Amino acid sequence: MKNKAVTIKDVARLSERSIATVSQILNGHGDKFSAATVAKVEAARDELHYEPDYFAQRMIKKTSKTIGVLVPDIRNPFFGELLRGIENVLYQQNFITMLCNADLDEDKERVYLDELSRRGVDGFIIASSAVSNTAINDILRQKGHPFIVLDQKRAEGFSDSVLTDDYDGGRQAAQHLKDLGHQQVAVLIPAQPSANVQKRLSGFYSVYSRSAVHVIATPLSKEGGRQVVPAILKTPVTAIFAANDQIAFGVYLGMTEHGRQIPADYSVVGYDDVEMCQYVVPQLTTIAQPIFELGQTTANQLLDRIANPQQPWEEHHLPVKLIERNSTAHLN
């Protein structure tokens, strides 16, 4: 037979105090009562192994201590590291991270926003460009939910945001390949690039003329990189800039399947600096984003917004840097 759950009434009965007094003490307001009363209530709680009901506490405190995080593709290790940074901060502040993977699907992301709102999460971190500004306005802004956008989506003045310097990242990648003597370069980006990827391309164009850049559309995935290799081979390029490391890893396999070698035949630069960059052969030259720090900064900024909802919007920018490894070489 299942044991009956211990209630606050049981704690009140054992401690010989009122339910109201016990509720106040167990919800962090013990400073209103004598030390003896607090000690007696806490002793009764411990003896009975009482645990407060989560939903009852939500009713009292008007908070769920939960943050909803929406990402576009959990298969990309960038988002795994990002979540580590977010969770690192939230855990220390006794918040739970609730992850939703949108699969680059705007409809799915809107459903998640609705459901998280209905479940009463305290704030939202949106790390995907799929969700529309209309959905954000309808579901988050009008209901007064604290939220923050990062990485792929520009805040456009309606929320806090944390961004890395994508323009400079594209510029650094281009300058590196230019310094190695490459005159014709392929840039691999999605057909409908998000705002941050567009900035990477703009930064690339600050170094190379448009006539020297062959933009080839492909998804932000390993398969996208692999399947685009035949198109690359039809161009005069000697170097490749991939919009993320996942594409670059796919290019590695595609080049091997077509009898080409990196960097002997093609130099390759990725973007993000996920851990796998150090384990592929040759190790991948890439633009490193401070991914873990990006997650930490985002979580801290959202918690600050929750605590101070009327403060002006803030936009944080984090730097990026080129990590030169073995996938690029001087053009012979």
Side-chain angles (χ1 to χ4, degrees):
M1 183 176 177
K2 187 175 180 180
N3 292 330
K4 183 181 177 182
V6 176
T7 69
I8 197 168
K9 291 181 180 179
D10 299 318
V11 178
R13 188 179 302 112
L14 182 60
S15 65
E16 299 177 330
R17 297 295 186 272
S18 71
I19 293 174
T21 295
V22 171
S23 177
Q24 288 278 311
I25 291 172
L26 296 185
N27 283 292
H29 302 294
D31 56 336
K32 299 178 180 179
F33 304 93
S34 68
T37 295
V38 172
K40 195 154 189 175
V41 169
E42 291 179 344
R45 175 200 62 192
D46 295 343
E47 182 178 336
L48 294 170
H49 302 291
Y50 169 75
E51 293 184 2
D53 179 80
Y54 169 77
F55 294 102
Q57 283 207 320
R58 264 190 60 188
M59 293 287 288
I60 295 169
K61 296 184 177 181
K62 309 298 183 185
T63 179
S64 66
K65 301 292 284 187
T66 304
I67 300 297
V69 181
L70 290 84
V71 301
D73 185 2
I74 196 61
R75 295 171 300 176
N76 185 340
F78 170 89
F79 293 105
E81 185 68 5
L82 180 76
L83 283 165
R84 282 189 64 244
I86 291 171
E87 191 271 344
N88 173 263
V89 170
L90 295 183
Y91 175 77
Q92 293 178 44
Q93 300 300 319
N94 298 315
F95 277 79
I96 295 297
T97 306
M98 186 176 291
L99 170 66
C100 295
N101 177 44
D103 282 330
L104 302 171
D105 184 333
E106 183 177 331
D107 292 334
K108 186 176 181 181
E109 195 147 275
R110 189 180 182 106
V111 169
Y112 277 142
L113 285 178
D114 271 324
E115 188 60 26
L116 290 170
S117 174
R118 189 179 70 82
R119 292 178 183 232
V121 300
D122 294 324
F124 295 76
I125 294 174
I126 300 173
S128 171
S129 62
V131 64
S132 69
N133 290 348
T134 300
I136 290 175
N137 186 66
D138 292 346
I139 300 170
L140 302 184
R141 291 185 67 191
Q142 291 189 11
K143 295 180 180 179
H145 293 307
F147 68 98
I148 187 169
V149 297
L150 77 160
D151 184 50
Q152 298 198 48
K153 189 172 189 64
R154 289 304 305 268
E156 298 175 1
F158 62 69
S159 83
D160 296 309
S161 62
V162 181
L163 307 165
T164 56
D165 196 339
D166 291 293
Y167 181 90
D168 190 53
R171 183 199 63 77
Q172 289 186 51
Q175 191 61 57
H176 175 63
L177 294 175
K178 189 85 167 180
D179 291 345
L180 292 175
H182 297 280
Q183 300 301 312
Q184 296 287 317
V185 183
V187 176
L188 311 182
I189 61 174
Q192 295 181 311
S194 55
N196 64 329
V197 173
Q198 291 176 11
K199 280 188 168 294
R200 292 170 196 176
L201 180 60
S202 296
F204 206 87
Y205 281 140
S206 72
V207 175
Y208 280 96
S209 66
R210 290 180 179 266
S211 62
V213 178
H214 300 255
V215 178
I216 304 176
T218 195
L220 289 165
S221 65
K222 291 187 287 291
E223 184 56 31
R226 181 185 185 185
Q227 70 187 17
V228 82
V229 166
I232 296 172
L233 298 179
K234 294 176 181 178
T235 71
V237 307
T238 58
I240 300 160
F241 173 46
N244 71 0
D245 293 334
Q246 294 290 90
I247 293 178
F249 298 149
V251 168
Y252 271 46
L253 178 57
M255 288 296 177
T256 299
E257 291 172 337
H258 286 81
R260 303 301 199 279
Q261 292 184 327
I262 298 170
D265 297 310
Y266 292 92
S267 287
V268 178
V269 177
Y271 205 105
D272 287 337
D273 195 31
V274 299
E275 185 181 27
M276 190 56 64
C277 293
Q278 301 177 56
Y279 292 90
V280 293
V281 179
Q283 291 182 322
L284 181 62
T285 295
T286 189
I287 301 299
Q289 299 199 72
I291 308 173
F292 188 79
E293 182 186 352
L294 181 63
Q296 289 180 308
T297 303
T298 301
N300 277 317
Q301 192 167 340
L302 180 60
L303 293 180
D304 192 33
R305 169 62 56 189
I306 291 171
N308 304 283
Q310 301 304 319
Q311 68 184 8
W313 300 128
E314 293 184 359
E315 185 170 289
H316 287 271
H317 291 263
L318 300 178
V320 298
K321 64 179 179 179
L322 174 76
I323 304 296
E324 186 174 355
R325 297 193 178 100
N326 305 318
S327 65
T328 52
H330 283 277
L331 183 63
N332 294 325

